[in-house]
Amino acid sequence: MGGSKEAKQGIEAERELIECFSNSKDVLVSCAQKLSIKIPNSFVVIKPVNRTKCDLMIKGEFTISISVKTVTDASFHQLDRRGLDVWKTVLNMPEDIYKILLDSILRKAKDPRAVFILPEDRDKISKFIKDNLSIILKEIFIRDEEDLRILAIWDKRDDILCMFNIQDVISFFIKQPISFSDEGIIKIGKYITIQRKGGNGSRIKKPKIDPTHPGNQLQFKFKPLEFMNDARKLMNNCCLHITQT
């Protein structure tokens, strides 16, 4: 799905969910209880401003935020994209790991058909990802938004919205294996991948092999629909039928 189409779909979904939850606050309260999340006694549901990860906010005497993934097919959605230098700082990345990842990113920049992580580097990268997985997962799902407590996935094909405690989601992924696709893309379990972002648009003036080119960011992608369908059987959840307006 194209980025602009996905963004428009997300904005419309947020508007619909604000209206739905504002008109049925008892449903939201009941779901929060199922997820062991305390929400304010009196609240409004709003679209937050200046936030990176959360899409909806339950605002009262304190706030609880919700990340919403709206899906119409089984495609990947972007979870996070940042420059490798940012991740180097966040993860206190050793120079050898940084060099492997930078070389991998620039190799793909030069040739989109190239392998991302080379076979001889995979054991080292796998160990580093596994050792830092709890930090990585918190960054890509929550970052510094500590009131973000709910991951909501809305399957618009079947009008099903499933909500999960985001700490349960992180705990699930901490236990998943690190593997690699045939193209060398890093995989966290079956539902998250790590790769070069790509996209070498003509409007970008920097050369595509410049490490600071936006296409050379490290991108985390997520299969929300597949995750939702499996997670409903594996972890605590609250699923609702949502009538679209």
Side-chain angles (χ1 to χ4, degrees):
M1 181 185 294
S4 60
K5 182 179 178 182
E6 186 177 294
K8 289 178 182 177
Q9 177 179 281
I11 291 169
E12 179 62 19
E14 290 159 12
R15 182 195 65 77
E16 291 182 278
L17 288 178
I18 287 173
E19 181 178 344
C20 173
F21 289 146
S22 296
N23 293 333
S24 304
K25 291 185 176 181
D26 56 329
V27 172
L28 192 51
V29 170
S30 177
C31 272
Q33 289 175 341
K34 285 184 181 180
L35 300 177
S36 301
I37 294 171
K38 178 178 173 55
I39 64 174
N41 294 319
S42 178
F43 63 86
V44 293
V45 182
I46 63 170
K47 170 67 179 174
V49 295
N50 299 322
R51 300 292 290 266
T52 302
K53 296 296 183 182
C54 76
D55 302 295
L56 302 179
M57 180 180 287
I58 305 167
K59 186 175 182 181
E61 62 267 29
F62 58 92
T63 63
I64 294 293
S65 292
I66 305 172
S67 172
V68 180
K69 303 297 179 186
T70 307
V71 294
T72 55
D73 55 42
S75 64
F76 277 103
H77 281 225
Q78 180 174 276
L79 271 178
D80 194 280
R81 62 177 178 86
R82 284 180 259 180
L84 185 60
D85 282 352
V86 175
W87 280 108
K88 183 180 182 183
T89 299
V90 169
L91 300 176
N92 193 23
M93 191 180 289
E95 285 299 326
D96 60 336
I97 297 296
Y98 176 79
K99 185 177 187 307
I100 289 171
L101 290 172
L102 181 60
D103 288 349
S104 300
I105 287 168
L106 297 183
R107 181 167 52 250
K108 291 291 286 184
K110 292 174 185 174
D111 180 5
R113 297 167 298 178
V115 170
F116 184 50
I117 304 297
L118 297 175
E120 58 265 31
D121 294 324
R122 292 178 188 177
D123 286 347
K124 188 175 284 189
I125 291 298
S126 178
K127 183 178 187 308
F128 177 78
I129 297 291
K130 196 67 178 177
D131 288 348
N132 292 275
L133 194 52
S134 61
I135 300 172
I136 292 169
L137 292 168
K138 183 176 185 294
E139 284 288 317
I140 64 176
F141 280 105
I142 298 174
R143 203 173 290 194
D144 58 355
E145 299 176 15
E146 297 297 338
D147 63 347
L148 206 171
R149 301 291 306 284
I150 298 172
L151 173 65
I153 301 173
W154 189 2
D155 178 1
K156 297 206 80 170
R157 302 174 311 170
D158 297 327
D159 296 337
I160 298 296
L161 177 81
C162 284
M163 288 184 274
F164 304 90
N165 186 316
I166 208 161
Q167 292 299 332
D168 291 344
V169 174
I170 289 173
S171 295
F172 169 82
F173 278 108
I174 283 175
K175 300 173 185 175
Q176 299 307 299
I178 308 302
S179 62
F180 299 85
S181 72
D182 292 342
E183 296 78 24
I185 293 171
I186 307 164
K187 300 167 67 176
I188 303 174
K190 297 191 296 181
Y191 315 105
I192 296 176
T193 61
I194 311 172
Q195 61 195 70
R196 175 183 181 262
K197 178 185 174 292
N200 302 310
S202 58
R203 290 177 297 177
I204 306 298
K205 302 303 181 184
K206 294 179 179 179
K208 66 180 182 180
I209 57 171
D210 185 327
T212 64
H213 188 292
N216 292 328
Q217 292 175 329
L218 205 58
Q219 184 179 47
F220 291 76
K221 300 183 79 175
F222 178 48
K223 284 190 171 181
L225 186 60
E226 292 185 16
F227 171 77
M228 182 188 84
N229 290 336
D230 289 345
R232 292 176 70 176
K233 308 165 195 170
L234 299 172
M235 69 179 69
N236 195 23
N237 65 82
C238 180
C239 293
L240 309 168
H241 180 82
I242 301 288
T243 303
Q244 298 181 47
T245 58

